[in-house]
């Protein structure tokens, strides 16, 4: 890292406003592009934590985001058993997959502002506890209404993984790292969506109830990991930047600051690792939103047509097909057992993994970096969209091919090839959309990802319609 000359610093400050107005040093990367967020010299700054600690927390966030969709689809292979035990039709059993998606869409509106007030960790813990007990409720439910209520709270409890999980990624990593990390974060949700039915198909050999008991065990493990390894990542950055230089290891020169800066150890402010294990007080040193601000921000997001159009197209004209295909597999392959039906999700899973490794986060970052160098080092959100074209093409080809293979009773391998292409396109599109909306309005990243999370899960809720 390096420090910008003084004249460039003033230009950056004028462009970016009060976010960095209290700090004198501007860290830039080796290729001359400004680093965001600006790091401090504070060892309690999440940006300065070790790579192991950062990626451990990222792994916990990905685990919860995996469960975000796992709870939705893991019951798909047990549809016949659920129909029999609950006395419901195939149309009604489809809604047992849709109702958790409603909880997933309502949750971000409730949790997002609370995470900016009380911190990320406590919201993860409370959400996981709710999901854990709701899963037990789903396992013991013996009538349709109770089962549906439990399924709703499963989705509501795990929903912090979306918006709050995205905020944790932003707390831990710089903007230039965000494409890859967002790709991993998105990979977790897509993997949960597809691994859920594979595991559920085999657990169904025991019983449909044991699918829920296994899910409860997975939530219990997640809770233990959160308690043991997840530190608070909400950091009073503006407050600390006003009292100390940027990270010395990244090239900041304290002599240039022109005014006294405190030593990190002398700043008497409880933050990140110094907060209590179960912090229920507002995180000090920060401006806090009102609890209902996330709802207000969601409504106001509709005034950004670029975000609204991009998100609505992806959610309702693209991603919507994913859950439609998933819920149709038991009917499309009725001749196979639940275990084989679960294995038929492998094509989607392999396509998703292949896309993330070779064609999503890293490729998106690479394209943006190359285009930014041609644009005088300035990154533009629209640079993310170049990857959307091959993503849409792959999804369309895969979906059409799968429909033909089912209609004409082709060999199951044809369907798997179609699923591979469809899964690869969906994963690329998800990464592109999430990165684009965050990069478009980085100062409103929580609002953007809340809007995205609500609409994408509303599209999943509407799939049985």
């Amino acid at each position: 890292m390096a420090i910008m000359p003084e004249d460039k610093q003033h230009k950056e400050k004028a462009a970016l406003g009060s976010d960095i107005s209290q700090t004198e040093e501007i860290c830039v990367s080796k290729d001359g592009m400004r680093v965001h967020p600006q790091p401090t010299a504070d060892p309690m700054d999440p940006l300065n934590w070790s790579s192991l600690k950062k990626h451990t927390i990222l792994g916990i966030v990905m685990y919860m985001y995996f469960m975000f969709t796992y709870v939705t689809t893991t019951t798909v292979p047990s549809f016949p058993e659920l129909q029999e035990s609950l006395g419901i039709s195939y149309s009604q059993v489809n809604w047992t997959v849709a109702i958790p998606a409603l909880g997933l869409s309502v949750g971000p509106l409730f949790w997002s502002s609370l995470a900016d007030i009380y911190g990320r960790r406590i919201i993860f813990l409370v959400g996981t506890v709710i999901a854990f007990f709701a899963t037990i409720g789903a396992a013991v439910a013996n009538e349709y209404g109770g089962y549906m209520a439990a399924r709703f709270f499963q989705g509501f409890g795990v929903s912090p993984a979306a918006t709050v999980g995205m905020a944790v990624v932003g707390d831990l990593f710089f903007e230039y790292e965000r494409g890859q990390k967002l790709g991993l974060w998105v990979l977790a949700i897509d993997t949960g969506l597809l691994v859920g039915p594979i595991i559920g198909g085999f657990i169904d050999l025991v019983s449909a109830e044991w699918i829920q008991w296994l899910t409860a065990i997975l939530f219990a493990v997640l809770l233990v990991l959160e308690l043991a390894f997840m530190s608070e990542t909400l950091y009073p950055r503006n407050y600390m930047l006003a009292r100390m230089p940027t990270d010395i290891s990244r090239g900041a020169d304290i002599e240039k600051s022109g005014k006294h800066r405190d030593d990190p150890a002398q700043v008497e402010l409880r933050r990140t690792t110094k907060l209590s294990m179960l912090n229920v007080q507002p995180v000090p040193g920060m401006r806090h939103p009102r609890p209902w601000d996330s709802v207000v921000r969601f409504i106001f997001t509709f005034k950004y047509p670029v975000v609204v159009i991009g998100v609505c197209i992806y959610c309702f004209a693209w991603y919507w097909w994913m859950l439609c295909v998933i819920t149709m597999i038991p009917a499309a392959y009725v001749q196979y057992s639940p275990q084989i039906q679960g294995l038929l999700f492998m094509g989607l899973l392999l396509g998703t993994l292949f896309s993330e490794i070779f064609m999503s986060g890293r490729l998106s970052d690479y394209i943006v970096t190359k285009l930014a160098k041609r644009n005088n080092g300035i990154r533009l959100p629209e640079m993310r969209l170049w990857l959307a074209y091959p993503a849409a093409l792959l999804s369309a080809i895969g979906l059409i091919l799968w429909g033909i293979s089912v209609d004409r009773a082709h060999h199951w391998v044809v369907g798997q090839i179609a699923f591979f292409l469809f899964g690869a396109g969906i994963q690329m599109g998800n990464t592109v959309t999430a990165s684009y909306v965050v990069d478009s309005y980085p100062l409103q990243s929580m609002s953007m990802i809340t809007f995205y999370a609500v609409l994408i899960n509303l599209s999943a809720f509407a799939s049985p319609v």
Side-chain angles (χ1 to χ4, degrees):
M1 299 291 177
I3 304 299
M4 280 188 178
E6 188 174 354
D7 60 333
K8 287 188 178 180
Q9 292 182 28
H10 292 309
K11 291 179 182 178
E12 287 281 351
K13 289 177 184 177
L16 294 165
S18 61
D19 224 22
I20 60 169
S21 61
Q22 299 184 68
T23 181
E24 301 290 333
E25 300 88 14
I26 305 298
C27 281
V28 297
S29 60
K30 292 180 180 179
D31 55 11
M33 288 187 280
R34 181 183 180 275
V35 169
H36 180 80
Q38 289 286 289
T40 69
D42 184 7
M44 286 184 279
D45 183 346
L47 293 174
N48 296 330
W49 291 347
S50 69
S51 178
L52 176 61
K53 183 170 184 175
K54 287 183 179 183
H55 286 88
T56 298
I57 296 174
L58 176 62
I60 293 172
V61 171
M62 289 175 62
Y63 186 163
M64 192 172 192
Y65 211 29
F66 171 90
M67 297 301 296
F68 188 92
T69 47
Y70 177 92
V71 298
T72 304
T73 60
T74 190
T75 59
V76 170
S78 65
F79 273 8
E81 287 82 358
L82 288 174
Q83 285 181 256
E84 182 178 351
S85 63
L86 299 176
I88 56 178
S89 66
Y90 189 82
S91 175
Q92 288 176 302
V93 82
N94 272 332
W95 283 103
T96 67
V97 172
I99 200 69
L102 181 62
L104 294 173
S105 67
V106 172
L109 298 175
F110 179 82
W111 299 116
S112 299
S113 292
L114 295 179
D116 286 337
I117 299 172
Y118 300 103
R120 325 297 193 201
R121 187 174 188 270
I122 188 66
I123 300 303
F124 263 63
L125 291 170
V126 172
T128 302
V129 169
I130 291 174
F132 172 73
F133 284 108
T135 303
I136 294 176
V140 300
N142 54 14
E143 56 92 23
Y144 188 57
Y147 183 78
M148 293 292 273
R151 292 285 281 164
F152 173 84
F153 282 103
Q154 275 185 303
F156 181 78
V158 79
S159 63
T163 51
V164 183
M166 171 65 205
V168 172
V169 174
D171 294 337
L172 292 171
F173 300 100
F174 293 104
E175 184 181 29
Y176 68 86
E177 301 173 296
R178 199 169 288 158
Q180 181 197 11
K181 308 310 175 187
L182 274 176
L184 292 172
W185 178 70
V186 170
L187 177 64
I189 184 175
D190 288 343
T191 304
L193 189 74
L194 305 173
V195 169
I198 296 174
I199 295 176
F202 285 96
I203 300 301
D204 189 55
L205 287 170
V206 181
S207 70
E209 292 76 18
W210 254 100
I211 293 176
Q212 297 293 350
W213 287 117
L214 175 62
T215 305
I217 292 170
L218 293 176
F219 276 125
V221 172
L222 174 61
L223 183 61
V224 171
L225 292 174
E226 289 169 350
L227 289 169
F229 300 110
M230 188 174 186
S231 300
E232 179 55 60
T233 63
L234 182 60
Y235 182 74
R237 188 162 307 282
N238 288 344
Y239 181 94
M240 298 302 293
L241 282 170
R243 287 160 176 76
M244 65 182 59
T246 52
D247 188 351
I248 299 172
S249 66
R250 301 180 189 278
D253 186 350
I254 304 176
E255 300 295 329
K256 292 182 181 180
S257 66
K259 67 178 181 179
H260 173 70
R261 302 294 185 103
D262 294 335
D263 181 88
Q266 296 177 349
V267 179
E268 296 182 359
L269 183 74
R270 292 184 300 109
R271 55 197 185 275
T272 60
T273 55
K274 294 297 183 181
L275 292 170
S276 61
M277 178 176 290
L278 296 175
N279 179 60
V280 292
Q281 300 295 324
V283 174
M286 303 188 69
R287 293 179 59 186
H288 299 113
R290 295 165 298 182
W292 57 85
D293 276 354
S294 55
V295 178
V296 175
R297 289 197 300 258
F298 173 79
I299 296 171
F300 283 166
T301 303
F302 281 97
K303 72 179 182 179
Y304 301 109
V306 170
V307 175
V308 174
I309 293 171
V311 170
C312 286
I313 288 175
Y314 178 74
C315 292
F316 292 99
W318 195 347
Y319 185 84
W320 179 83
W321 290 100
M322 173 63 89
L323 205 60
C324 290
V325 168
I326 287 174
T327 55
M328 281 301 298
I329 284 180
Y333 298 103
V334 68
Q335 69 272 30
Y336 295 116
S337 68
Q339 296 72 46
I340 300 300
Q341 289 179 5
L343 289 175
L344 291 174
F345 284 83
M346 286 299 297
L348 289 167
L349 177 61
L350 292 175
T352 299
L353 294 174
F354 180 86
S355 173
E356 180 52 40
I357 294 171
F358 297 105
M359 298 186 297
S360 291
R362 285 184 182 273
L363 182 56
S364 178
D365 287 344
Y366 175 80
I367 291 172
V368 170
T369 300
K370 285 291 184 182
L371 293 176
K373 287 180 179 179
R374 297 180 188 176
N375 195 37
N376 298 320
I378 300 173
R379 292 185 178 94
L380 297 175
E382 288 72 22
M383 294 173 180
R384 297 280 185 192
L385 297 179
W386 286 103
L387 202 58
Y389 298 109
L393 183 62
L394 283 175
S395 297
I397 293 173
L399 193 59
I400 293 170
L401 182 60
W402 183 72
I404 293 173
S405 73
V406 173
D407 182 60
R408 301 187 179 180
H410 288 322
H411 194 276
W412 61 267
V413 170
V414 178
Q416 290 300 288
I417 294 171
F419 277 167
F420 181 92
L421 297 175
F422 181 59
I426 287 288
Q427 170 66 14
M428 291 169 66
N430 209 342
T431 300
V432 168
T433 306
S435 301
Y436 174 63
V437 298
V438 171
D439 287 355
S440 294
Y441 299 96
L443 298 181
Q444 293 86 30
S445 59
M446 181 69 89
S447 299
M448 296 300 109
I449 211 67
T450 299
F451 185 81
Y452 181 48
V454 170
L455 289 191
I456 199 170
N457 286 294
L458 279 178
S459 74
F461 173 68
S463 65
V465 177

